[in-house]
Amino acid sequence: MDPTLAWLPDGSPYSPRYGDVYRSHGGALAQARTVFLGGCGLPMGWEDRASCRILETGFGLGLNFLASWAAWQADERRSSQLHFVSLEAHPVSAADLLQGVQTLQARDAQELALLSRIQMLADDLARAWAGLRPGLQHWDFDDGRVRLSLGIGDVLAQLPGLPGPVDAVYLDGFSPARNPAMWSAEVIQGVARLCHPGTRLASWCVAGAVRQRLQQAGFEWRKQAGLAPKWQRLEARYLGPADTAGLRPGSAGA
Ligand SMILES: C[S@@+](CC[C@H](N)C(=O)[O-])C[C@H]1O[C@@H](n2cnc3c(N)ncnc32)[C@H](O)[C@@H]1O
């Protein structure tokens, strides 16, 4: 069996290596829109700006990238440039990227519009994927207005070489219990080094250890109502280097 990706009978992409699914069945588009884009204040956050740079830990099947690109394309007030920076240790095949899009389900008219855009953009991504190699690569789409910088390798090794500062962060490893390397204090600190005061961060993960590491790295965080099967999600904002973050409250509404 391919240790990177297997397709479960219900169509969910599953990682035999980590024993976890890449996304919740049926709710993948909602997760991308609500947990990640919404959790980082997007699309509003990029409106009327020259550029917006998003960092993601865990490129996986590229859904968060495609959903961000599609939402950006659909927004009349979008920034002039969108730069998506992501990291992946175990890239899937181009065929799996495309299957990942084909197995998405739309639950309402808004998701249907997003999905048809995503399906078109996925073909461009799959074409670029043919040139995938280890290390950092940059691919330009949409006449150079959208750039994907993809670091192929371990998150901790790749983080210091990434372009910053970033305006938004999607933390999207597998569960911390099964994939602790994606949520370590060193990784969170490496992410913080790429942020500016005001950078927004979002995750489906509200684990206490992750919240504590975020706070120690200079973020304030807030739990929000989540999407099934997770009943909470995390929103955070970078305040500045941790040594000046001092005694700021870590949470509101926790
Ligand atoms: C939940 S999936 C990401 C889903 C993805 N954001 C999407 O939109 O499809 C987590 C990803 O983290 C990757 N990963 C796990 N450990 C890693 C590590 N140490 N360094 C880099 N990537 C890692 C996995 O291979 C997997 O693709």
Side-chain angles (χ1 to χ4, degrees):
M1 184 192 282
D2 177 357
T4 297
L5 188 132
W7 293 96
L8 298 182
D10 70 359
S12 299
Y14 172 80
S15 165
R17 179 180 282 111
Y18 293 102
D20 201 356
V21 286
Y22 280 76
R23 59 196 190 208
S24 67
H25 178 59
L29 287 172
Q31 174 169 287
R33 283 178 64 212
T34 306
V35 175
F36 291 108
L37 279 126
C40 287
L42 300 172
M44 205 187 291
W46 62 44
E47 288 184 347
D48 306 320
R49 295 183 40 185
S51 65
C52 176
R53 183 179 283 133
I54 301 170
L55 168 67
E56 176 186 57
T57 56
F59 189 77
L61 293 163
L63 176 59
N64 288 338
F65 166 61
L66 292 168
S68 301
W69 181 9
W72 175 89
Q73 251 192 4
D75 185 354
E76 289 181 358
R77 293 174 58 189
R78 61 186 171 267
S79 51
S80 309
Q81 302 283 328
L82 178 67
H83 189 180
F84 197 94
V85 181
S86 190
L87 291 163
E88 180 53 58
H90 314 290
V92 301
S93 67
D96 282 330
L97 277 183
L98 292 173
Q99 187 165 345
V101 167
Q102 282 150 15
T103 51
L104 287 170
Q105 293 169 5
R107 291 175 168 178
D108 56 34
Q110 267 188 322
E111 284 191 8
L112 198 58
L114 181 68
L115 181 54
S116 30
R117 231 178 242 277
I118 284 176
Q119 281 166 342
M120 287 190 299
L121 302 179
D123 290 335
D124 289 353
L125 177 61
R127 268 191 292 278
W129 208 255
L132 192 70
R133 53 176 176 72
L136 185 61
Q137 48 234 281
H138 309 278
W139 294 328
D140 290 329
F141 303 101
D142 243 337
D143 299 323
R145 290 176 304 157
V146 175
R147 167 165 278 207
L148 171 62
S149 295
L150 189 56
I152 298 297
D154 181 70
V155 60
L156 200 53
Q158 296 288 318
L159 270 171
L162 297 183
V166 302
D167 305 299
V169 179
Y170 303 164
L171 288 188
D172 195 16
F174 291 119
S175 87
R178 294 170 186 271
N179 188 196
M182 287 292 261
W183 309 92
S184 70
E186 292 77 13
V187 166
I188 305 275
Q189 282 156 12
V191 166
R193 277 193 283 276
L194 291 166
C195 295
H196 58 73
T199 295
R200 301 272 300 260
L201 177 146
S203 185
W204 55 266
C205 173
V206 294
V210 172
R211 284 182 281 127
Q212 189 181 17
R213 287 166 199 159
L214 283 168
Q215 192 171 340
Q216 285 165 349
F219 290 88
E220 65 173 3
W221 51 263
R222 182 186 292 267
K223 287 187 198 171
Q224 300 285 21
L227 294 173
K230 313 269 182 214
W231 57 285
Q232 290 186 311
R233 62 185 176 88
L234 196 69
E235 288 186 5
R237 185 186 296 270
Y238 185 62
L239 301 174
D243 56 353
T244 60
L247 296 174
R248 288 177 193 132
S251 70

